[in-house]
Amino acid sequence: SKEVCGGIGDRVLSMIKAFYFAIATGRVLLIDSMFPTPLSNYLNPNFVQWNATFPKTNKTIDDMNLHQTILPRKSVVGYVLGRCNGPGSLKLTTLLRSTNVQELLQPGEEMSVSRGFYQAFWALFHFDKEVVKRADEMKTNAGLGLPQNNGATMPFVGLHIRHGDSAMVGSEGGGETKDESQPLS
């Protein structure tokens, strides 16, 4: 809901967890993310066609609840997952250890959280061309654009550091946090 909408990182993590939940329960994943702006303005389907048209339903089941057993719910045609992220929701590690996900791995192979996140993100999404264009402009304007491959810019890593919200250890939400950063020498 709009009242509990997190940032893009929280929403993407929820979608990745929902992806593994769909695998764990043998279901199809469809994403309808329109708030605060349509997800398709930034991320488009890559290998998984998650934006297919589907019949609307008012049925919401809190299957991502930490205390809920992962069930396939074969008698239910379609439903909306309850909140997928937060302290009371299933962890990505739990979903990665589910039987159906484990059956996709080679014998003896393990799936780390970082690998699971990476693989699910790129299976689900590719960046919209306007996002890539704007990122390239920003890199060039910041002096980070090193030409390669017919004028395309070098890949880069962006970092967002959260300060002063309830996601930070020791913060009660919205309060000041001590900045312990040191100047680079």
Side-chain angles (χ1 to χ4, degrees):
S1 75
K2 295 178 182 180
E3 294 81 31
V4 294
C5 181
I8 188 68
D10 292 333
R11 288 182 280 149
V12 168
L13 177 57
S14 293
M15 291 175 217
I16 287 172
K17 288 168 68 174
F19 172 73
Y20 283 114
F21 184 81
I23 292 172
T25 58
R27 297 187 73 89
V28 172
L29 173 67
L30 298 174
I31 299 173
D32 181 22
S33 182
M34 301 302 288
F35 178 82
T37 61
L39 180 65
S40 60
N41 289 351
Y42 308 99
L43 296 171
N44 301 137
N46 201 12
F47 298 110
V48 176
Q49 192 66 35
W50 49 259
N51 66 344
T53 302
F54 55 95
K56 298 291 183 191
T57 180
N58 291 327
K59 185 177 219 46
T60 299
I61 302 176
D62 192 19
D63 271 349
M64 293 296 282
N65 184 304
L66 181 61
H67 305 291
Q68 182 83 310
T69 303
I70 297 175
L71 300 169
R73 296 198 186 276
K74 292 181 181 180
S75 64
V76 180
V77 175
Y79 63 96
V80 175
L81 279 175
R83 188 169 172 89
C84 295
N85 208 7
S89 70
L90 287 172
K91 304 298 178 209
L92 183 54
T93 52
T94 303
L95 295 164
L96 291 174
R97 291 183 189 133
S98 68
T99 303
N100 284 0
V101 173
Q102 290 295 308
E103 287 175 354
L104 296 174
L105 302 175
Q106 298 295 322
E109 183 181 14
E110 290 187 25
M111 175 83 75
S112 68
V113 170
S114 59
R115 179 175 162 216
F117 185 94
Y118 176 86
Q119 289 184 338
F121 183 89
W122 293 114
L124 289 169
F125 308 115
H126 72 83
F127 290 107
D128 184 78
K129 64 183 177 183
E130 289 301 315
V131 170
V132 173
K133 179 181 169 188
R134 179 71 179 123
D136 285 345
E137 289 171 6
M138 290 169 61
K139 289 187 291 184
T140 300
N141 293 342
L144 300 173
L146 303 174
Q148 71 169 24
N149 301 340
N150 300 321
T153 57
M154 295 286 288
F156 71 100
V157 174
L159 176 64
H160 170 73
I161 300 173
R162 296 172 74 156
H163 288 279
D165 67 18
S166 60
M168 301 302 294
V169 176
S171 174
E172 296 300 322
E176 293 295 318
T177 58
K178 184 177 178 184
D179 183 1
E180 297 182 5
S181 59
Q182 298 295 319
L184 296 174
S185 50

